[in-house]
Amino acid sequence: MSLMIIKRGIPEAFRGAVSNSITQAKEYLDEIEKHFVKSNKVETSTILNSLISIKYKGKGNVREYIIEMSHLASKLKALNLELSDDTLVHLVLISLPNQFSQFQINYNCQREKWTPNELISHYVQEEERLKQNKAESAYLASTPKYKGNKRKHEATKGPYVKKQKQDTDKKGCFFCNKPDHVKKECPK
């Protein structure tokens, strides 16, 4: 294939990026490919940043969250940055909310170290325990005894309303500022 045919199909932005001394199409395509090479450093940095900054927000279950973190760690392994299982377990422990703090303390007091799979099974049990404890505590809601006008009438008899009436009596008329009457009784 002719180099001239290839050069016609290339946008203007790339025509100046490749030197004119290249005469073969293969060399030309190799030179253009160098402009689109993906940097492993950037990808490693992005994945590592997301692995460190990820937080469990309580939505979904813990198993899926830990599996997602393990998946990010396996992507790093493919990019020649391998995290040990211990490091991954500690990253998971750090990223979980305070409701799992007692579980984290128990893990730190043990001598044995867990693999991510063991961590998943223990956390699923802990999550179920927390759900059961949450289900046991219920809130009591009651309905008011009085409905309709009686309730409205009771609200107007409160201490705030009485205070307002007293304040208006002390000030007097808002229109002429005389203390002996109120605005609706004002002769002006």
Side-chain angles (χ1 to χ4, degrees):
M1 185 171 357
S2 170
L3 185 60
M4 292 306 275
I5 295 172
I6 292 175
K7 281 188 177 181
R8 279 190 219 145
I10 303 297
E12 285 289 324
F14 294 112
R15 288 187 187 155
V18 179
S19 71
N20 292 332
S21 63
I22 297 176
T23 57
Q24 293 190 4
K26 174 107 174 93
E27 292 173 4
Y28 189 75
L29 292 175
D30 289 340
E31 193 69 27
I32 289 178
E33 186 179 351
K34 288 179 185 176
H35 292 283
F36 290 99
V37 173
K38 191 166 60 168
S39 174
N40 286 343
K41 292 179 186 177
V42 173
E43 190 174 359
T44 302
S45 177
T46 303
I47 294 171
L48 192 58
N49 187 28
S50 63
L51 184 64
I52 291 170
S53 64
I54 191 170
K55 298 287 181 195
Y56 179 68
K57 296 175 181 128
K59 295 179 181 175
N61 62 25
V62 177
R63 175 182 288 132
E64 291 173 1
Y65 173 73
I66 296 173
I67 289 172
E68 180 184 349
M69 287 189 75
S70 298
H71 180 67
L72 290 172
S74 66
K75 283 183 178 180
L76 286 174
K77 186 176 183 179
L79 294 169
N80 297 326
L81 181 67
E82 187 171 351
L83 295 177
S84 67
D85 285 347
D86 293 338
T87 307
L88 181 61
V89 167
H90 282 285
L91 283 172
V92 170
L93 289 172
I94 290 168
S95 67
L96 289 169
N98 288 337
Q99 66 187 17
F100 292 102
S101 61
Q102 188 64 38
F103 185 77
Q104 295 169 359
I105 292 169
N106 289 339
Y107 172 76
N108 290 333
C109 291
Q110 291 181 2
R111 291 182 185 225
E112 67 181 47
K113 294 181 179 182
W114 294 339
T115 64
N117 289 332
E118 290 172 331
L119 183 69
I120 289 172
S121 65
H122 291 297
Y123 260 119
V124 168
Q125 291 173 358
E126 180 70 9
E127 187 179 38
E128 289 299 318
R129 187 188 69 77
L130 288 172
K131 283 181 183 176
Q132 287 175 354
N133 287 346
K134 197 179 231 184
E136 288 175 4
S137 63
Y139 295 102
L140 178 63
S142 62
T143 58
K145 292 181 182 178
Y146 303 106
K147 293 184 180 176
N149 292 337
K150 289 183 181 178
R151 183 179 172 131
K152 290 178 186 174
H153 183 65
E154 286 178 11
T156 59
K157 292 183 180 178
Y160 179 73
V161 176
K162 288 179 184 176
K163 188 176 180 182
Q164 276 184 333
K165 286 182 181 178
Q166 289 171 358
D167 289 345
T168 58
D169 291 342
K170 289 179 185 175
K171 292 180 182 175
C173 181
F174 287 110
F175 190 68
C176 67
N177 292 327
K178 291 185 181 177
D180 59 338
H181 64 276
V182 291
K183 183 179 178 183
K184 64 181 175 181
E185 298 170 354
C186 186
K188 291 184 181 179

